[in-house]
Amino acid sequence: GESVGLHLPTLSVQEGDNSIINCAYSNSASDYFIWYKQESGKGPQFIIDIRSNMDKRQGQRVTVLLNKTVKHLSLQIAATQPGDSAVYFCATDNQGGKLIFGQGTELSVKP
Amino acid sequence: GAGVSQSPRYKVAKRGQDVALRCDPISGHVSLFWYQQALGQGPEFLTYFQNEAQLDKSGLPSDRFFAERPEGSVSTLKIQRTQQEDSAVYLCASSPRDTQYFGPGTRLTVL
């Protein structure tokens, strides 16, 4: 069946460094991709999204890159801060509205 | 502004009890989704409403799970005869079109 996976379950970075979180998806028909941030005890918080007709989108300190050829998605966080510590999920829209989530990468930021 | 709210935030049930979980979506959001999140995992789709119509319930794990949204706003997820494997966080999300905004979740523990 359709799957979404992350390359690394944990990532530790120094405060001020850039972070890169990767994700792979299996369904070539996926056309909408989203990154969520989830802090302990909270629901997933929308960060940024991208459609399949784009290969890059930037937000405030975050950039999402989409490579449809290899079905790969990445989230880049610039100047990572302690408040960025959380679990990050990528998700794809299954063209019916329901989201397929990956397993998550736990980002730890060392001061 | 008001986001998605869920109640109760925590629920402890004895095995065999029925539970009802409530979701108040963002006002005006047409679509409403329920997800189940096991510890250390990404959310998994349960069911989806557009207004009061339940368009997809393919993710409901058994006929003990039932969801409704009778007036197209508030939704209730009901679980009958709870089992220990039902222990999880139940997340509700609402969407005006594509982007889904999540509530804080209800943590259900079945003893």
Side-chain angles (χ1 to χ4, degrees):
Chain A
E2 181 175 350
S3 67
V4 177
L6 285 167
H7 292 266
L8 287 175
T10 61
L11 177 64
S12 183
V13 301
Q14 203 71 35
E15 182 179 358
D17 287 353
N18 296 335
S19 303
I20 299 176
I21 302 172
N22 296 302
C23 182
Y25 62 95
S26 64
N27 188 351
S28 56
S30 296
D31 64 355
Y32 181 56
F33 306 85
I34 315 99
W35 282 100
Y36 285 94
K37 171 187 179 183
Q38 188 172 28
E39 296 172 283
S40 181
K42 297 183 179 180
Q45 176 190 353
F46 172 84
I47 301 173
I48 192 168
D49 58 2
I50 189 168
R51 293 206 168 275
S52 58
N53 61 351
M54 302 174 69
D55 52 23
K56 180 179 180 179
R57 192 166 186 218
Q58 289 184 290
Q60 187 177 10
R61 284 201 305 118
V62 295
T63 300
V64 55
L65 298 177
L66 175 63
N67 185 329
K68 295 180 288 294
T69 302
V70 295
K71 291 184 280 190
H72 182 269
L73 187 70
S74 70
L75 176 70
Q76 300 178 1
I77 304 173
T80 314
Q81 303 168 0
D84 295 327
S85 294
V87 178
Y88 289 81
F89 291 98
C90 62
T92 66
D93 185 325
N94 196 29
Q95 299 179 335
K98 74 179 186 183
L99 297 178
I100 307 296
F101 282 83
Q103 295 299 302
T105 289
E106 183 173 9
L107 175 65
S108 297
V109 182
K110 295 177 288 187
Chain B
V4 178
S5 61
Q6 292 186 244
S7 61
R9 291 294 317 279
Y10 303 92
K11 177 69 179 177
V12 178
K14 292 182 179 179
R15 191 175 56 182
Q17 283 185 332
D18 298 348
V19 297
L21 313 180
R22 177 187 170 105
C23 173
D24 285 82
I26 295 171
S27 179
H29 282 195
V30 170
S31 301
L32 185 146
F33 302 80
W34 284 98
Y35 293 82
Q36 180 189 61
Q37 186 173 25
L39 190 63
Q41 303 294 314
E44 292 193 354
F45 171 81
L46 293 176
T47 187
Y48 156 51
F49 292 84
Q50 192 168 74
N51 296 306
E52 69 277 5
Q54 190 174 20
L55 299 187
D56 187 344
K57 54 181 181 180
S58 62
L60 296 176
S62 76
D63 59 7
R64 295 186 296 104
F65 286 71
F66 172 77
E68 61 183 5
R69 193 186 185 198
E71 297 179 356
S73 57
V74 172
S75 177
T76 304
L77 176 67
K78 298 179 180 178
I79 309 173
Q80 297 177 323
R81 304 181 303 281
T82 52
Q83 304 294 314
Q84 285 187 320
E85 62 263 28
D86 301 335
S87 294
V89 174
Y90 291 85
L91 294 163
C92 175
S94 70
S95 172
R97 187 182 172 190
D98 294 323
T99 305
Q100 295 183 27
Y101 298 93
F102 283 81
T106 294
R107 180 176 296 278
L108 173 65
T109 303
V110 182
L111 303 177

